[in-house]
Amino acid sequence: MNIPKHIAIIMDGNGRWAEKRGLPKVIGHKQGVDIVKNTVKLCLKTGVQYLTLYAFSTENWSRPDSEIKALFQLLENFIDNEIKLFHDNKIKFCIIGERSRIQKDLLAKVEKTEKDTSDYHDLTLNIALSYGARQEILNAARILAQDAKSGKIDPKDIDEKMFSSNLYTAGQPDPDLLIRTSGEMRVSNFLLWQISYSELYVTETLWPDFDEREFNKAIETYSKRDRRFGGR
Ligand code: IPE
Ligand code: IPE
Ligand code: MG
């Protein structure tokens, strides 16, 4: 089987999962975190080398404060609970997104975890947090404009490689497979630059139900795809 090197996932449907059961939305998010842990383990098992998870978008800041607080608390608990998993399995932990909007204490914990796992490379786990692809692209454009203004680079030299190296995902391969759960047919401002040639897979399954069977189904589907990259 052809295993994708990099999988990106738009983890959607936590709210609907909870609603279907008459439970508060936060229980759906909590169940979603268990699925994150499970998915990390499945990537280790199958040899996927990069996993990028959309946890919180720049647009998600418009959600109620209580939900935002609960989501960030869940992330903090996830780091505390899984740090051993990261060390035991040589997982590099990274955050991609607007760091300036993340609460100071949590950011300190995130950055310590990044530093402590920076030498690992069996699996790179990117958590997209306060992430927006347009924001990321604008940020890269700003850095390059500044570099051009100060004479560090010539605008003529700006190519795809240089541009990519100023994105949050600098140095990482683009996703081979983009999965979205809960059936929505949109990319919701996720990795717009990086998914240019990713294979898309949308499942009706809600994120809290995305188990090993669902994971394998996505990989099997990917495996049968004919990636032509415009070349024939
Ligand atoms: C996905 O679940 C998690 C985040 C966006 C943080 P949602 O909360 O969007 O769940 P639905 O789309 O309402 O079902
Ligand atoms: C996308 O889900 C963002 C994350 C999964 C973190 P949303 O639920 O926020 O996206 P829309 O509103 O359906 O586009
Ligand atoms: Mg949603």
Side-chain angles (χ1 to χ4, degrees):
M1 203 140 68
N2 185 15
I3 302 295
K5 187 170 182 179
H6 185 170
I7 299 181
I9 309 182
I10 303 174
M11 311 182 289
D12 200 11
N14 296 351
R16 277 161 281 173
W17 184 91
E19 196 183 355
K20 270 198 341 199
R21 289 163 177 76
L23 295 168
K25 201 169 180 184
V26 62
I27 303 292
H29 292 318
K30 213 159 166 252
Q31 182 66 23
V33 178
D34 288 347
I35 299 297
V36 166
K37 183 177 168 184
N38 201 35
T39 305
V40 168
K41 289 183 176 166
L42 290 168
C43 286
L44 291 165
K45 189 170 154 187
T46 50
V48 172
Q49 293 171 51
Y50 296 83
L51 175 65
T52 302
L53 300 175
Y54 206 2
F56 192 87
S57 70
T58 47
E59 290 72 27
N60 290 148
W61 285 111
S62 64
R63 294 199 181 196
D65 279 350
S66 57
E67 185 181 356
I68 295 174
K69 216 168 152 238
L71 283 165
F72 279 81
Q73 186 61 54
L74 283 170
L75 174 75
E76 188 168 354
N77 298 348
F78 174 73
I79 295 174
D80 290 341
N81 295 336
E82 307 313 334
I83 186 73
K84 189 171 170 341
L85 179 83
F86 301 160
H87 285 299
D88 288 353
N89 294 285
K90 307 259 178 291
I91 298 171
K92 183 196 290 225
F93 177 86
C94 303
I95 288 284
I96 57 170
E98 296 174 297
R99 290 176 189 244
S100 60
R101 293 185 79 172
I102 300 170
Q103 196 244 335
K104 252 179 64 198
D105 291 352
L106 175 60
L107 185 62
K109 181 172 288 193
V110 158
E111 292 188 338
K112 181 173 187 315
T113 309
E114 287 182 321
K115 197 164 158 270
D116 292 348
T117 63
S118 62
D119 288 338
Y120 298 154
H121 49 254
D122 282 11
L123 172 67
T124 297
L125 173 63
N126 295 314
I127 305 285
L129 195 66
S130 189
Y131 174 89
R134 287 188 168 185
Q135 208 53 49
E136 178 183 37
I137 291 167
L138 280 175
N139 184 55
R142 237 178 256 126
I143 295 169
L144 292 170
Q146 196 60 51
D147 285 352
K149 194 178 162 199
S150 66
K152 214 169 114 187
I153 58 164
D154 186 325
K156 283 202 303 288
D157 298 334
I158 299 175
D159 57 7
E160 290 189 12
K161 194 163 165 254
M162 188 189 284
F163 201 90
S164 298
S165 70
N166 285 286
L167 297 172
Y168 302 134
T169 50
Q172 301 189 14
D174 289 337
D176 301 292
L177 172 64
L178 172 68
I179 299 174
R180 182 162 187 152
T181 57
S182 89
E184 306 297 347
M185 295 296 214
R186 54 179 172 264
V187 288
S188 303
N189 203 11
F190 191 42
L191 303 176
L192 297 182
W193 172 281
Q194 297 89 336
I195 61 171
S196 295
Y197 257 108
S198 304
E199 293 296 321
L200 309 181
Y201 178 85
V202 177
T203 171
E204 290 294 327
T205 302
L206 304 174
W207 177 249
D209 290 325
F210 193 82
D211 57 10
E212 181 163 12
R213 218 181 118 251
E214 293 292 334
F215 179 88
N216 289 339
K217 219 159 74 186
I219 305 254
E220 270 162 38
T221 305
Y222 168 83
S223 215
K224 290 187 199 126
R225 297 274 178 89
D226 179 18
R227 301 186 78 186
R228 291 191 288 271
F229 298 101
R232 71 193 138 85

